[in-house]
Amino acid sequence: MVCTIAAAISVFLLSLACSKQPDLFDDSGDIKAVFIADSFAPGETTTKTVLEGTEFTWAANDTVGIYPNSGSQIFFEMTQGAGTGSAVFDGGGWAFRNGATYYSYYPFIADFHLDRTQIPVSFKGQRQNGLSSLDHFGQFDYMYADAASVRDGVITFNYHHLCCVIRVTATLEPGTYRQLTITAPDSAFVQKGFFDLTSDAPAIQAAESGCELTVVLDNFTVNTKQEVRIYLVSAPAALSGKEITVSILDSEKKQYDCKKTPSKDYAASGIYGLTCSTWTEVPQSVGIAIDGWADGGHYSGGAE
């Protein structure tokens, strides 16, 4: 994955070097750039347990894309601020100009010709590595920043989350677990889509929707009966009053279900809790078929 990203950025840099950039960026280095992101706000939990918010922090090598009000994007890679909510990014010698307007998004997509009105998103391929891990968030936490200009020698990008977080608090018996899926009675979950970075209020527009949202579980072994947390990232989803099914599969190919009915829709920038303390084992004849189990497996089909 790291090598793939590095190669993509290298190709992007080559394209950038061979193109004529507008004079909305220069290399003076006199303007300070600050990058700040909202935290996820507590939404709803299906128990009386208090659901805390999740503070957003930048990670080393996080990269944002920035467009001037005309011309193509460049990328800025974080150089200071790892582990904090306010960071400084390195634009590779480019700096900002007074009087120009800039648009930014995260995570960066290495495509020199990327249309700022069609920034793609996908919630497929989520994988959580280890119990209660949050490391998989970055590539699915799509954000946009308010249009920004230089003021008093500083340009500040304030980022807002376009997605929401679903936190499943699961009490599990000893075993190794491979995958968790949330199933709605309709196509409530965006699988793929896009957003318009230049809109007054950017929002994810669905290009492909489905009734399931899935996260593969890697290195997910429970040694004693305990409570663990499993995280999924989703576009906003209309789930209020709908019975949804939380399904988990173990390494023995056994499926366990938990039914929940959210009382609110899941909105952008929110974190929503589903607590599953008890599970019902589902006979394979009525469960979810598994393909390619040796390679991690994935769900297909529905109840028979």
Side-chain angles (χ1 to χ4, degrees):
M1 175 65 80
V2 174
C3 293
T4 301
I5 293 174
I9 290 179
S10 295
V11 171
F12 181 81
L13 276 173
L14 179 61
S15 299
L16 183 64
C18 295
S19 65
K20 182 179 180 181
Q21 288 293 301
D23 62 359
L24 297 174
F25 293 105
D26 63 25
D27 57 3
S28 65
D30 294 331
I31 296 170
K32 179 182 179 181
V34 178
F35 302 81
I36 302 171
D38 293 339
S39 293
F40 285 97
E44 176 197 47
T45 180
T46 54
T47 69
K48 294 182 179 180
T49 303
V50 175
L51 183 67
E52 72 273 12
T54 297
E55 181 180 355
F56 176 88
T57 58
W58 297 105
N61 301 318
D62 272 347
T63 305
V64 299
I66 300 178
Y67 288 89
N69 54 352
S70 63
S72 303
Q73 70 167 332
I74 64 169
F75 74 88
F76 276 56
E77 184 176 359
M78 192 184 70
T79 55
Q80 300 176 36
T84 73
S86 179
V88 176
F89 287 77
D90 183 356
W94 297 100
F96 300 94
R97 293 182 65 87
N98 287 293
T101 301
Y102 300 90
Y103 302 86
S104 185
Y105 71 96
Y106 171 90
F108 168 71
I109 298 172
D111 179 356
F112 178 71
H113 301 290
L114 184 65
D115 184 345
R116 69 185 73 196
T117 68
Q118 298 277 322
I119 307 294
V121 304
S122 173
F123 296 95
K124 294 183 175 183
Q126 297 187 50
R127 305 182 76 99
Q128 178 171 320
N129 187 7
L131 308 181
S132 304
S133 172
L134 290 168
D135 292 344
H136 58 297
F137 262 31
Q139 62 180 309
F140 301 100
D141 185 12
Y142 301 101
M143 296 190 292
Y144 75 94
D146 299 322
S149 299
V150 176
R151 291 188 178 182
D152 299 323
V154 177
I155 184 168
T156 301
F157 290 96
N158 291 295
Y159 291 87
H160 309 290
H161 302 280
L162 290 161
C163 58
C164 63
V165 176
I166 303 174
R167 188 184 72 192
V168 179
T169 300
T171 301
L172 299 176
E173 298 290 341
T176 297
Y177 297 87
R178 300 299 192 191
Q179 191 161 290
L180 181 139
T181 288
I182 300 174
T183 304
D186 55 19
S187 297
F189 297 112
V190 173
Q191 306 296 323
K192 292 184 177 181
F194 66 92
F195 63 94
D196 179 356
L197 187 58
T198 65
S199 170
D200 290 337
I204 292 174
Q205 305 297 317
E208 177 185 335
S209 297
C211 61
E212 295 180 352
L213 185 69
T214 295
V215 58
V216 172
L217 304 174
D218 296 321
N219 302 311
F220 208 93
T221 297
V222 176
N223 295 316
T224 60
K225 184 176 180 179
Q226 63 179 286
E227 184 180 275
V228 300
R229 291 179 175 178
I230 300 169
Y231 295 89
L232 303 94
V233 187
S234 174
L239 296 175
S240 178
K242 299 176 183 178
E243 184 180 71
I244 60 177
T245 303
V246 180
S247 302
I248 194 165
L249 268 68
D250 67 13
S251 59
E252 302 299 319
K253 302 184 180 180
K254 293 180 180 179
Q255 177 184 328
Y256 302 90
D257 284 358
C258 170
K259 305 285 187 179
K260 292 293 174 181
T261 304
S263 63
K264 295 181 180 179
D265 290 334
Y266 288 6
S269 283
I271 178 169
Y272 299 86
L274 298 172
T275 299
C276 290
S277 301
T278 59
W279 301 84
T280 301
E281 184 174 350
V282 180
Q284 283 299 303
S285 61
V286 296
I288 300 173
I290 308 168
D291 295 325
W293 186 256
D295 299 321
H298 65 276
Y299 292 111
S300 65
E304 294 179 359

